[in-house]
Amino acid sequence: MSFSLLNRQRLISTIVCFILPLFILLIPTGATFTPAIRLFLVITLMGVLCWAVDIVPQGVPAILMPIAYLLFGIAPAPVIFGVWSEPIPWMMLGGLILANVLLSTGLLERVAYRSITFTGGSYTGLLMGLVIAGIIGNILAPGKVAIPMAALTFGICKALDLGKSRASAGIMLGGAMGALLPQQFIYNPVNLSLTVENGQSVTGPINVSWLDYLWYNLPSVLYVFLVVYLVGRYAKPKDLVLDKQFFESKYRELGQWSLAEKKALIICLALFTVLVVGSFLGWPIMWAFAIFPCLFFLPGIDIGKKEDISRLDFTFVLFITACLGIGSTAGELGIGKLFAENVTPYLEGHSIFITFALIWLCIVLANFLLTPLAIISVLSVPLAELALALSINPLCVYFFTCNAYDVVFLPYEYALYLIFFSFALIPLKDFVKIMSIKAVVSLVFLMAIQLPFWMITGLITG
């Protein structure tokens, strides 16, 4: 029987996803590596590989994995499905609603063009404007800026007639970093919450307020501007002259502030105020991400539409809860402790800098096979156990993870960077070079600035 290239690729993907994990069943079990852990690894590896190669829709493994854990008796239902009683799924839904409404009102686009005109008309100024727009966007809609930014940067490259070039790569990836990197110091209801929630099965409850996250990661503000500036130095074309009036005209085309934009801004500012004030008063601020977006639909406000609900990506919410289910089940089985017991001897006796460099390398290498959220779900518990074994504050490892999984070298490693690459304006060689620059800056910055800052602030002791 002959197969087309597509069929052969699908056959190989099927073997990789569903046959290779079965070889884990050949590993002998014992008092430490129990049959339950072995079966958990088989099921989890199947699901993670399905996500990695995209052989089935993302929601299919997200539904089947937790059900398989339950049916095979790996963990009780309250452990596997208990995440639905936690804030994260509802925060995700609220965040998706917030992004949809802000897109439909045009508020994010207005913020972006105003930021660009504020930073001047040079190529570097354009990139700095994208970073400022990304920071403001993440304050208004945490973690929901990437797709609007991709559309904006694509439009800028087309308007400037840059085509597929290094200059386009700088703008597109500068925008991507401006949208994604601020999440390393602006509280994101997905990344950090997911990491902390998974790790709590071994560390116990850990509360991180909006201000705590900003304070301990304050040096990352400099990191974002530094890495995008260096991208600009690499990608800036010698013969490109940018006209600041072009961006001012695009801003003027948006017209006067509409009533819907004003209402959206007021609600976003109210959300921001609750996050800041709640950080001082100890409020459960994560629920605010679910509550405030619903205000868009109340009588008298009426800027949310039925379409903003109907086009929600519920598959992504299922994916998030499945990732949390992996973490809680792994914690129940003691997999994190098993990992820590075997890895800790190799990390003991090293300086804190060598230890964190090895953790960074582990996560960067894992990125070649796993998505960032899969890395969080698979490694959060083991890394939490490792931190406790080495007497390191788990928050340091969590914050470090949020930086390291953003280090990629190829577009497929991170779906959000892949979105920017999919607009066909970024040459692959320039993608690799720009991301290599970012990787070097990331490691040097973490070692030279971030870790010493944590020592000064007391997050790292001893």
Side-chain angles (χ1 to χ4, degrees):
M1 180 179 180
S2 62
F3 293 93
S4 67
L5 177 61
L6 181 62
N7 285 334
R8 285 199 297 271
Q9 289 176 341
R10 189 166 182 81
L11 176 61
I12 293 172
S13 298
T14 301
I15 293 173
V16 169
C17 292
F18 300 109
I19 305 299
L20 286 184
L22 295 177
F23 283 92
I24 296 177
L25 296 174
L26 300 178
I27 302 175
T29 59
T32 304
F33 188 71
T34 64
I37 290 178
R38 184 173 67 178
L39 189 55
F40 167 81
L41 292 177
V42 171
I43 295 170
T44 303
L45 185 57
M46 284 184 179
V48 171
L49 287 175
C50 285
W51 285 334
V53 304
D54 201 24
I55 191 173
V56 294
Q58 192 179 64
V60 173
I63 293 172
L64 293 180
M65 270 198 303
I67 293 175
Y69 296 155
L70 180 65
L71 294 181
F72 284 100
I74 295 175
V79 172
I80 301 169
F81 299 103
V83 61
W84 289 103
S85 64
E86 300 294 331
I88 291 180
W90 310 104
M91 291 161 55
M92 274 303 307
L93 286 171
L96 293 172
I97 294 172
L98 180 65
N100 285 347
V101 174
L102 293 184
L103 277 173
S104 61
T105 61
L107 180 59
L108 290 181
E109 187 178 12
R110 183 178 294 277
V111 168
Y113 281 125
R114 174 52 71 195
S115 300
I116 293 171
T117 57
F118 176 75
T119 55
S122 66
Y123 186 86
T124 302
L126 167 61
L127 298 188
M128 294 299 103
L130 292 174
V131 172
I132 294 173
I135 292 173
I136 297 174
N138 273 286
I139 292 174
L140 297 177
K144 304 301 176 187
V145 185
I147 294 177
M149 184 69 80
L152 173 67
T153 51
F154 174 76
I156 292 173
C157 291
K158 282 295 186 181
L160 298 175
D161 196 25
L162 297 177
K164 188 174 184 178
S165 63
R166 178 182 294 186
S168 290
I171 293 174
M172 295 293 292
L173 292 178
M177 295 175 194
L180 298 174
L181 295 186
Q183 297 175 41
Q184 294 179 14
F185 57 88
I186 297 174
Y187 190 91
N188 182 346
V190 179
N191 299 358
L192 180 68
S193 299
L194 185 59
T195 309
V196 173
E197 187 76 24
N198 274 339
Q200 283 183 356
S201 60
V202 295
T203 64
I206 296 179
N207 295 317
V208 183
S209 70
W210 193 94
L211 284 178
D212 287 337
Y213 189 60
L214 175 62
W215 167 241
Y216 287 122
N217 294 284
L218 198 59
S220 292
V221 179
L222 173 62
Y223 166 67
V224 176
F225 283 98
L226 175 62
V227 72
V228 174
Y229 170 77
L230 292 176
V231 168
R233 291 294 300 268
Y234 166 79
K236 180 181 178 180
K238 296 180 180 180
D239 56 349
L240 178 64
V241 178
L242 291 179
D243 185 1
K244 183 178 179 179
Q245 292 182 352
F246 166 78
F247 298 104
E248 291 177 343
S249 66
K250 296 293 289 184
Y251 181 80
R252 286 195 297 268
E253 287 177 8
L254 297 175
Q256 297 294 320
W257 280 71
S258 67
L259 182 59
E261 286 178 300
K262 293 177 181 178
K263 291 179 179 179
L265 180 60
I266 290 172
I267 291 177
C268 289
L269 292 176
L271 172 59
F272 176 73
T273 302
V274 168
L275 294 178
V276 174
V277 174
S279 299
F280 286 108
L281 301 180
W283 295 346
I285 60 174
M286 290 190 293
W287 289 106
F289 287 102
I291 295 171
F292 273 80
C294 295
L295 301 181
F296 291 130
F297 301 88
L298 294 182
I301 300 177
D302 291 317
I303 58 175
K305 303 179 178 63
K306 289 183 179 180
E307 293 77 13
D308 295 325
I309 299 291
S310 62
R311 68 173 189 266
L312 289 179
D313 186 3
F314 290 99
T315 299
F316 188 58
V317 179
L318 290 173
F319 173 67
I320 294 295
T321 55
C323 290
L324 285 169
I326 292 173
S328 59
T329 304
E332 178 77 6
L333 295 173
I335 290 177
K337 186 172 294 185
L338 178 64
F339 173 86
E341 289 173 353
N342 287 276
V343 174
T344 301
Y346 297 99
L347 296 180
E348 287 180 330
H350 296 298
S351 71
I352 194 71
F353 295 96
I354 298 297
T355 299
F356 273 95
L358 292 174
I359 292 173
W360 182 89
L361 181 61
C362 174
I363 295 171
V364 170
L365 292 176
N367 242 339
F368 284 100
L369 298 176
L370 303 175
T371 66
L373 288 178
I375 288 174
I376 291 175
S377 62
V378 172
L379 294 182
S380 291
V381 173
L383 289 176
E385 289 278 11
L386 185 64
L388 294 178
L390 296 173
S391 300
I392 298 173
N393 189 328
L395 280 181
C396 296
V397 178
Y398 295 158
F399 296 158
F400 211 80
T401 301
C402 290
N403 182 295
Y405 72 59
D406 195 87
V407 176
V408 300
F409 296 94
L410 295 169
Y412 81 89
E413 294 182 54
Y414 195 165
L416 293 178
Y417 283 111
L418 181 60
I419 290 173
F420 285 81
F421 185 79
S422 66
F423 281 92
L425 292 177
I426 306 173
L428 181 59
K429 65 177 182 179
D430 289 315
F431 185 97
V432 174
K433 289 179 181 179
I434 288 174
M435 288 308 191
S436 297
I437 293 171
K438 176 172 170 288
V440 172
V441 175
S442 169
L443 182 58
V444 172
F445 189 88
L446 288 168
M447 295 295 108
I449 298 179
Q450 189 67 71
L451 286 180
F453 181 79
W454 287 340
M455 293 175 179
I456 294 171
T457 56
L459 196 62
I460 294 179
T461 57

